[in-house]
Amino acid sequence: MASEKTDVVIVGVGAAGGILAAELGKAGMKVVGLERGPRLTTADFTPHDELRYFQRQELRPNVKRQPVTWRPNANARALPLPVLNYGNQAGGGTIHYGAVSWRFHEDDFRARSQTMERYGAAAIPEDSSLADWPLTYADLEPFYDRAEYELGVSGKAGNLQGRKIDGGNPFEAPRRREYPLPPLFVDQAGAIFEAAARKLGHHPFSTPRAIVSQPYRGRLGCTYCGFCQAFGCHIGAKSSILVTKLPEADASGNFKLLTGAMCYRVNSDNSGRATGVSYYGPDGEDNTIEAELVILAPFIYDNVRLLLLSKTARFPDGLANSSGQVGKHLMAHIGPRVFAAFDDRYVNIYMGPSAQRHSLDDFNADNFDHSSLGFIRGAQISVSPADLEAGPIGAAVSMNPPPGIPRWGGAYRDFLAKYFARYAGLTAQTENLPYADQTIDLDPNVRDAWGLPAPRLTYDWRRPNELKRVEFMVRQLEELGRTMGATHVWRSPPGQGAPGAHHEGGTRMGSDPKTSVVNRYGQSWDIPNLFIIGSSTYPSMSGFNPTLTIQALAYMSADAIVNRYKKNPGPLA
Amino acid sequence: MSEHDASRREFLVRAAVGAGAVAGAGLVPETHAQTREQDRKAKSETNAPAGVLNYIDLALAGAYADLQDFYRRGLAQLDAYCRKTYNEPFVRLSATRQDEVITALDEGKAGGFTWPTAQEFFNTIRTHTMEGMFADPIYGGNKDFAGWRLVGFPGAQAIFTPADMQSKQAFTRAPILSLQAQAQGPTRKE
Ligand SMILES: Cc1cc2nc3c(=O)[nH]c(=O)nc-3n(C[C@H](O)[C@H](O)[C@H](O)COP(=O)(O)OP(=O)(O)OC[C@H]3O[C@@H](n4cnc5c(N)ncnc54)[C@H](O)[C@@H]3O)c2cc1C
């Protein structure tokens, strides 16, 4: 049993934790990072191997060792999810993510007010806990800017300080300056999507991605090999934490990374102050770290689980949970899809960065009039390979054949042989509303490899507002597919209620300690020397992928800690 | 593989043949021109086309060893279902009947399955067959890139040029790139 003392302990060194480690280290604070996985290097990511990384998910949390269970409602039995969408090594999810990197819209931060102003309070489903964020887009803009420039994001501005720019996303919130790197080269799927969307009067653009389109800060530009989603980048062109912030943290001389370190408890004293954390080391030994400041950044499941596992006499319902909100308002994207296949041309969708390539934002957020639609909030629409990953295993397991063709046998073989290199997938990534009864708690039946109860999700997106939105979006996708000139256009089967990618909520931020767990900086209302960072703090989720916003918030928290909290530890709000 | 004892060897062959027969029926390029009957005959002999059998065999002995019981139970239930419905085990059924059985599995309509359920069993076999077809040949399937050639996938290319990305034609630049050159893989010796 080892014990050590430090200024700051950060649990989870991923998308968010890596930024905090570098920023606090550079400011002279002694930082220990606890990461349950290993620290790999760019050289470890060759050769690309679809079976190993996509199908067997080698870089992701292992569903047997680290299960997360799911049930559609409180009466059903929870079963382990088959795939987990976050990280499992230094750099976290940024190692193997698709690197799609958005700034949220202005109205994403005030979805409740926006809806009430435009459609009236009755438009919000009664059982939804939709809430405004305790900050505005303008508050976060400087930190989005830092994230884009320090990490390296490629894209084209659509709104420069209020001036709309052709070729970018005209619906984006105003940005102070251009992206640091020009957009990635457009592949054929993107080109056909672009033409069709323009024909329909939409506003398509190359999706902003944290993949450098040119050499940047000593890193090589993208080679368009296509192995992004589920893979580590073999040349470091993906702006993962491993090649961006960890070297900065190392260079600060104040950062120590402990790998193979599984945190299982946040320790606190009678006064309700956090005193540090306990963790299991690589050989299972039980260790503690004493710290002045405890920062949780292990993604939403362990943000919630660690609080629930760390209850005390003072906090009988979970640490920092006087509000009773810990574990509530779980959200997730779901991605209804349509496939388009072409008889008269090849698409070769396995070329180029694999995830959402070309996008349109016309049906996202409140960018379109919902008055007569019967639902609120929207979806981000894009063109992608079957599972945002472009190899043949991905196509075979994730793309249903068109109606009339079974999933096996000669007709299926002929279908795949003909269309694997001639199809494009269309996806809508929906902004599902928060509901208080969508929760994360501790599974009483399933334990992880460390003997800890697994996080259990209770969630079913199939609510009236969400079902109507999905149907509306699928129709847009079908229209796009037909306008692209596809010979065949068909839907993927509807989901069975399970959460899709990008999970949010569980420790929501707010401006009232009675109804939220943390303030805008991720600082616990109950325990000012405990910060909880990541998408668990989102009060609503946006149709955009979450990570750049997670990272902008991490920069904002780091800034507040370095410039204010450090001088005068106490509540920041 | 000398450490395979005879019964495990037989189980694995049976599992893989069953898998190949169930999900791979007709998926295999070399048999494109053959009739379904010839196709089936080839499959029930020792070597599954395109190495799918070899892939599943190796996987069940290694990475998927924890699924041996799943396969054993699934195949037993499959044969019980076929005997009950047609008085014969799956591999002896005619092509039409096999198709009926597979359809029943796919749709979850085959009776008598408890664990795995018919659909779980079918989905797993299907997934493993696809892996055997399309995983890098280093894992024992996708023989001579049969799967990749079938669909026109060039393997793990390190780079695509702007000209590649602008082309509306099939990508044909050789060579197909695999891991074989880069590592010494689990090659089989009988
Ligand atoms: C295949 C895939 C593709 C994705 N594509 C995109 C995309 O294109 N765009 C986008 O915005 N998002 C994408 N995401 C989501 C993205 O990865 C996450 O939003 C992001 O990584 C979350 O950041 P985080 O810092 O909260 O968690 P992570 O980055 O996951 O980091 C958390 C770290 O904490 C560690 N950890 C967890 N629990 C403990 C514990 N108890 N003790 C010690 N360490 C612990 C984990 O090992 C992990 O390294 C994708 C995810 C996946 C899996």
Side-chain angles (χ1 to χ4, degrees):
Chain A
M1 167 146 180
S3 181
E4 61 181 296
K5 266 191 157 132
T6 182
D7 295 341
V8 186
V9 63
I10 300 178
V11 177
V13 185
I19 289 172
L20 284 146
E23 295 305 306
L24 303 191
K26 286 190 287 184
M29 300 171 96
K30 291 278 176 212
V31 179
V32 174
L34 292 189
E35 171 53 53
R36 68 181 176 190
R39 178 173 183 166
L40 303 175
T41 67
T42 295
D44 294 321
F45 303 137
T46 9
H48 293 306
D49 177 347
E50 195 188 14
L51 184 73
R52 180 173 172 192
Y53 293 112
F54 170 74
Q55 189 64 1
R56 297 186 181 168
Q57 306 168 24
E58 194 168 303
L59 291 169
R60 303 201 203 182
N62 180 296
V63 293
K64 293 206 180 85
R65 281 174 54 77
Q66 295 132 306
V68 175
T69 63
W70 165 69
R71 55 182 185 171
N73 59 65
N75 301 319
R77 202 162 86 87
L79 295 172
L81 286 170
V83 184
L84 296 174
N85 259 278
Y86 69 120
N88 195 36
Q89 62 279 306
T94 67
I95 302 297
H96 52 76
Y97 77 157
V100 169
S101 293
W102 307 99
R103 297 177 172 209
F104 285 3
H105 304 96
E106 287 175 297
D107 76 40
D108 287 333
F109 294 89
R110 52 189 304 280
R112 184 172 191 89
S113 299
Q114 170 76 16
T115 306
M116 302 216 312
E117 285 159 22
R118 194 162 171 192
Y119 310 109
I124 301 173
E126 237 171 78
D127 52 345
S128 170
S129 49
L130 185 63
D132 289 352
W133 293 45
L135 75 163
T136 64
Y137 169 76
D139 295 330
L140 204 55
E141 201 280 337
F143 303 104
Y144 275 129
D145 182 75
R146 266 183 80 184
E148 286 171 349
Y149 273 77
E150 290 190 13
L151 304 172
V153 178
S154 302
K156 170 108 184 87
N159 181 346
L160 259 185
Q161 298 175 18
R163 188 163 49 87
K164 297 288 166 87
I165 300 196
D166 201 38
N169 175 11
F171 297 99
E172 78 167 345
R175 53 174 55 250
R176 66 180 56 197
R177 52 178 167 164
E178 247 304 351
Y179 279 97
L181 289 142
L184 288 153
F185 199 86
V186 181
D187 71 312
Q188 284 305 297
I192 327 171
F193 178 90
E194 162 95 26
R198 289 219 178 273
K199 222 180 198 172
L200 290 169
H202 307 327
H203 300 83
F205 56 92
S206 170
T207 307
R209 279 157 287 180
I211 297 172
V212 298
S213 54
Q214 297 174 353
Y216 189 68
R217 300 194 171 188
R219 290 159 47 206
L220 295 171
C222 176
T223 60
Y224 298 88
C225 75
F227 293 92
C228 305
Q229 176 95 356
F231 301 89
C233 181
H234 68 292
I235 52 162
K238 190 192 288 185
S239 301
S240 80
I241 287 300
L242 198 57
V243 297
T244 54
K245 298 307 280 188
L246 280 188
E248 283 180 32
D250 292 339
S252 76
N254 289 320
F255 174 61
K256 181 162 113 182
L257 177 67
L258 299 179
T259 55
M262 177 68 179
C263 180
Y264 68 89
R265 188 177 170 87
V266 177
N267 299 314
S268 60
D269 64 18
N270 292 337
S271 73
R273 233 185 99 76
T275 55
V277 298
S278 296
Y279 69 96
Y280 297 121
D283 304 322
E285 73 277 26
D286 193 345
N287 306 309
T288 57
I289 293 181
E290 283 176 51
E292 295 298 318
L293 180 60
V294 175
I295 299 180
L296 299 185
F299 194 64
I300 79 167
Y301 313 128
D302 271 24
N303 275 346
V304 168
R305 181 165 74 155
L306 285 169
L307 296 179
L308 296 179
L309 287 174
S310 306
K311 56 186 176 198
T312 61
R314 194 186 171 94
F315 292 107
D317 301 325
L319 196 66
N321 190 21
S322 69
S323 66
Q325 294 295 312
V326 170
K328 294 191 172 159
H329 320 286
L330 171 67
M331 294 166 278
H333 284 136
I334 57 144
R337 283 173 300 176
V338 160
F339 294 105
F342 301 81
D343 277 359
D344 60 346
R345 59 162 303 151
Y346 282 78
V347 180
N348 300 330
I349 200 155
Y350 52 79
M351 297 180 187
S354 59
Q356 296 117 296
R357 290 148 181 228
H358 228 70
S359 294
L360 57 87
D361 205 21
D362 299 63
F363 301 105
N364 201 358
D366 202 25
N367 298 342
F368 58 117
D369 185 4
H370 293 72
S371 315
S372 57
L373 298 177
F375 67 88
I376 58 167
R377 310 306 292 168
Q380 182 261 325
I381 286 178
S382 61
V383 65
S384 285
D387 206 355
L388 311 188
E389 187 271 354
I393 301 177
V397 298
S398 309
M399 173 167 56
N400 57 301
I405 300 180
R407 301 187 295 156
W408 52 275
Y412 180 72
R413 173 205 54 209
D414 293 346
F415 158 72
L416 213 55
K418 177 153 185 201
Y419 291 116
F420 169 76
R422 294 168 176 265
Y423 88 93
L426 295 158
T427 309
Q429 185 170 272
T430 64
E431 176 182 350
N432 298 330
L433 304 182
Y435 297 89
D437 62 351
Q438 293 179 170
T439 58
I440 307 174
D441 64 359
L442 303 177
D443 195 309
N445 304 313
V446 179
R447 289 181 179 263
D448 68 13
W450 293 269
L452 306 169
R456 176 175 67 179
L457 315 183
T458 303
Y459 176 95
D460 190 337
W461 62 267
R462 293 171 299 179
R463 314 225 176 198
N465 186 74
E466 282 42 59
L467 285 164
K468 277 188 208 135
R469 185 196 298 110
V470 164
E471 183 54 31
F472 176 89
M473 295 302 164
V474 170
R475 291 220 192 101
Q476 307 303 326
L477 301 181
E478 287 172 331
E479 191 177 18
L480 272 161
R482 283 191 298 267
T483 312
M484 283 158 75
T487 322
H488 306 281
V489 176
W490 71 99
R491 298 176 171 208
S492 67
Q496 297 302 306
H502 310 145
H503 297 184
E504 290 93 355
T507 68
R508 68 172 14 185
M509 61 163 95
S511 33
D512 182 351
K514 287 200 209 66
T515 56
S516 57
V517 180
V518 296
N519 64 25
R520 60 156 75 176
Y521 303 106
Q523 184 181 36
S524 157
W525 292 113
D526 291 336
I527 304 176
N529 73 330
L530 174 66
F531 284 68
I532 302 159
I533 310 292
S535 57
S536 64
T537 66
Y538 290 13
S540 67
M541 71 183 295
S542 164
F544 282 150
N545 311 50
T547 307
L548 192 73
T549 301
I550 292 173
Q551 296 183 305
L553 288 167
Y555 272 109
M556 189 176 85
S557 299
D559 179 77
I561 291 168
V562 168
N563 294 314
R564 293 165 56 201
Y565 180 91
K566 191 164 161 249
K567 288 174 206 135
N568 184 15
L572 283 167
Chain B
M1 271 186 191
S2 50
E3 77 267 28
H4 276 200
D5 62 66
S7 70
R8 181 153 124 228
R9 174 79 199 125
E10 203 211 287
F11 154 69
L12 291 171
V13 168
R14 239 170 65 78
V17 169
V22 172
L27 238 184
V28 181
E30 298 97 310
T31 58
H32 213 139
Q34 295 177 353
T35 65
R36 289 292 292 277
E37 290 309 324
Q38 287 170 315
D39 195 2
R40 275 167 218 288
K41 211 163 143 244
K43 226 172 309 195
S44 55
E45 278 151 23
T46 51
N47 217 352
V52 169
L53 184 152
N54 191 44
Y55 167 79
I56 296 181
D57 185 354
L58 287 170
L60 284 176
Y64 301 155
D66 60 339
L67 289 177
Q68 288 189 8
D69 211 36
F70 179 100
Y71 266 88
R72 206 173 275 126
R73 294 274 303 272
L75 288 167
Q77 294 183 113
L78 174 67
D79 271 352
Y81 170 77
C82 292
R83 280 180 213 277
K84 189 157 172 249
T85 318
Y86 303 106
N87 288 319
E88 285 202 292
F90 183 79
V91 286
R92 295 237 196 82
L93 297 179
S94 70
T96 324
R97 293 230 154 130
Q98 285 193 342
D99 285 358
E100 278 171 33
V101 173
I102 298 170
T103 306
L105 288 178
D106 188 5
E107 294 174 355
K109 288 183 183 146
F113 282 75
T114 49
W115 180 85
T117 66
Q119 264 172 325
E120 281 167 351
F121 182 54
F122 175 76
N123 285 338
T124 300
I125 288 186
R126 181 185 186 277
T127 299
H128 292 168
T129 302
M130 297 306 157
E131 292 175 359
M133 280 298 291
F134 297 124
D136 192 282
I138 207 164
Y139 294 99
N142 191 7
K143 197 166 163 236
D144 302 324
F145 306 122
W148 289 353
R149 284 186 214 282
L150 175 73
V151 298
F153 180 65
Q157 302 284 329
I159 184 164
F160 288 114
T161 65
D164 297 336
M165 304 262 297
Q166 280 166 325
S167 166
K168 295 181 176 139
Q169 305 303 317
F171 179 82
T172 50
R173 193 172 66 223
I176 291 178
L177 290 182
S178 81
L179 311 183
Q180 220 85 49
Q182 299 164 58
Q184 211 45 44
T187 44
R188 282 190 69 91
K189 284 192 200 78
E190 291 296 341

